[in-house]
Amino acid sequence: MTNYFIHESAYVDEGAEIGQGTKIWHFSHVCSQAKIGRNCSFGQNVLVANNVIIGDYCKIQNNVSLYEGVILEDYVFCGPSMVFTNIKTPRCEYPRNTSDHYQKTLVKRGASIGANATIVCGITLYECAFVAAGAVVIKDVPAYAMVAGVPAQIIGWMSAYGDVLEFDEHGYAIDSIGAKYQQVSDQEVIKVS
């Protein structure tokens, strides 16, 4: 007896690891060497390739492909039709299609990626980073940073709870649940309580 849900139209290859309470919906495909944590939700038409690692409580919306090299920590949100790449210089005539070619992309705990955003491989989205819809991310995103545009640039800062942070003259901000943050530089914000 399984302790997770797989829709009858989804394919989960033998050997895939799926945590308790996870739900995999219509037309999705989980490959045999994928590792998925507990209480995750996968919308329609999601691909989880071999050697992808997904933490607990992640929400993957419709039409997202998680290619080899992608690692999601806990509580990551992937919006509809967002894109991960795993090779920087793909060629059809000279394929680069083995694990040795794939670059790692790490999405840290609590990060959110908006609909239709593209995450170019080989970077890290740090804790609670927020990527706006349609952004193209080509470099690391600091913890709590909000990025938007093509290429994505920092446009502000967001708390773990999801409030846009407004810093006082001393560089401190408090979100709506009382968590305190400090802006250390134009590239770094830390949670202080």
Side-chain angles (χ1 to χ4, degrees), residues 142-143 145 153-157 167 182-189:
Q153 303 291 326
I154 295 173
I155 60 166
W157 302 90
F167 295 97
Q182 180 183 12
Q183 186 168 20
V184 177
S185 73
D186 63 349
Q187 294 289 310
E188 184 181 10
V189 165

Side-chain angles (χ1 to χ4, degrees), residues 16-172:
E17 295 179 25
I18 301 173
Q20 178 178 343
T22 287
K23 294 179 173 68
I24 299 169
W25 290 99
H26 306 68
F27 313 116
S28 293
H29 181 192
V30 178
C31 295
S32 63
Q33 295 168 22
K35 294 180 181 171
I36 298 170
R38 296 175 293 115
N39 298 306
C40 294
S41 174
F42 294 81
Q44 180 172 296
N45 193 38
V46 171
L47 168 69
V48 183
N50 283 323
N51 301 315
V52 168
I53 300 170
I54 298 171
D56 299 335
Y57 298 95
C58 291
K59 185 171 180 116
I60 315 301
Q61 298 283 59
N62 296 352
N63 306 313
V64 173
S65 294
L66 298 141
Y67 296 115
E68 183 169 345
V70 173
I71 300 169
L72 307 182
E73 292 187 350
D74 299 343
Y75 294 100
V76 169
F77 175 85
C78 294
S81 302
M82 63 78 47
V83 175
F84 287 103
T85 69
N86 65 356
I87 298 173
K88 285 208 173 166
T89 57
R91 290 290 196 204
C92 187
E93 186 175 1
Y94 303 100
R96 295 169 178 94
N97 57 0
T98 68
S99 295
D100 292 337
H101 296 106
Y102 302 142
Q103 294 192 28
K104 181 174 133 180
T105 299
L106 176 60
V107 183
K108 305 281 278 177
R109 180 187 176 102
S112 294
I113 304 167
N116 290 307
T118 298
I119 310 301
V120 176
C121 58
I123 65 171
T124 299
L125 304 181
Y126 285 90
E127 289 82 359
C128 300
F130 184 89
V131 177
V136 177
V137 181
I138 62 171
K139 62 184 180 181
D140 291 355
V141 178
Y144 309 109
M146 296 188 307
V147 298
V150 180
Q153 303 291 326
I154 295 173
I155 60 166
W157 302 90
M158 182 180 287
S159 74
Y161 183 67
D163 292 335
V164 175
L165 296 172
E166 300 289 340
F167 295 97
D168 65 20
E169 66 274 11
H170 304 292
Y172 291 96

